[in-house]
Amino acid sequence: LGLGLITAILTLAKVLEHLMLNHPVELWSFFFGLVLGSILFLARQTWKWKTADWVVFFGFAIGTFILVGLKSLHTPAGLPFVFLAGAIAICAMILPGISGSYLLVIMGKYAPIIEAVNDRDFTTLAVFCAGIATGILSFVRLVSWMLTHHRHVTLIALTGVMAGALRTLWPWKETLTTRINSEGEVVPLTQTNILPGVEANLLLAIGLAVAGGAAVILIERLAKAEPSNT
């Protein structure tokens, strides 16, 4: 598993950084579709919902929607926040329907970590890995206990978190402020969501979002078709 993660990071980091800089709408459209497909997947796992379930879902969805809109979640760049991002992101390894990269996007640490990999910023990467180790030894056990003893409500809460997080993944944004990255390039720092206009890549963006959702469904079907070893 570790070799697979390292291989993916080393081979895809440059590609993803290039896409984020040159084709952000198309990239975020695909991510948006992935998360939306994951939400539908989790909802199917827990259906049918009672009134209390809807309260939990909307509570976590609204809370996450508000939190990811706060500027403070996107601007901190210090090593303590890198450590925290690693600790939280690793929790996704045991959560169905979501990956650590989604959580990094939500916390505004996806692009900085990709940049650290490409720049061989070993200090940042070491702190990030330390956070991952801490998450494995602490947070993962807590979430695992919740899934074991309160699986239904935990999955509904997770579905709400992902629904609220779609605010961060909305492809069409207006840049409010910028920053200079390590290569001297001007990149977005804070952004606000806007409605898409009639643009050339609109249909492509929609198609990529649909492809992202379809990928989740395909992976689910492949998982069901895989013979059990137990």
Side-chain angles (χ1 to χ4, degrees), residues 4-72:
L5 291 171
I6 294 173
T7 301
I9 290 174
L10 294 179
T11 56
L12 296 178
K14 284 287 187 182
V15 175
L16 290 175
E17 185 176 41
H18 171 79
L19 291 175
M20 279 188 288
L21 291 175
N22 299 284
H23 303 282
V25 172
E26 292 86 347
L27 179 64
W28 294 121
S29 294
F30 183 72
F31 283 172
F32 189 92
L34 282 174
V35 176
L36 186 59
S38 298
I39 292 172
L40 297 177
F41 168 75
L42 285 180
R44 288 177 57 187
Q45 296 294 306
T46 54
W47 200 256
K48 297 181 175 179
W49 291 4
K50 299 178 181 178
T51 302
D53 298 328
W54 285 105
V55 172
V56 171
F57 171 78
F58 281 112
F60 277 86
I62 294 172
T64 303
F65 183 87
I66 294 173
L67 285 174
V68 299
L70 297 176
K71 293 181 180 180
S72 59

Side-chain angles (χ1 to χ4, degrees), residues 80-167:
F81 293 95
V82 173
F83 178 89
L84 182 62
I88 295 176
I90 194 61
C91 295
M93 295 298 294
I94 64 169
L95 297 177
I98 188 172
S99 75
S101 60
Y102 298 159
L103 296 184
L104 289 176
V105 169
I106 292 170
M107 294 180 286
K109 286 292 176 285
Y110 187 84
I113 294 301
I114 290 294
E115 186 176 317
V117 173
N118 291 332
D119 295 341
R120 301 299 188 266
D121 184 352
F122 295 111
T123 300
T124 298
L125 294 177
V127 172
F128 182 68
C129 290
I132 289 176
T134 301
I136 291 176
L137 297 175
S138 56
F139 297 158
V140 169
R141 292 191 177 188
L142 173 61
V143 176
S144 179
W145 184 89
M146 289 293 297
L147 286 172
T148 301
H149 296 88
H150 304 283
R151 181 177 179 81
H152 182 75
V153 69
T154 301
L155 290 180
I156 290 176
L158 174 61
T159 306
V161 169
M162 294 173 65
L166 288 176
R167 176 177 182 173

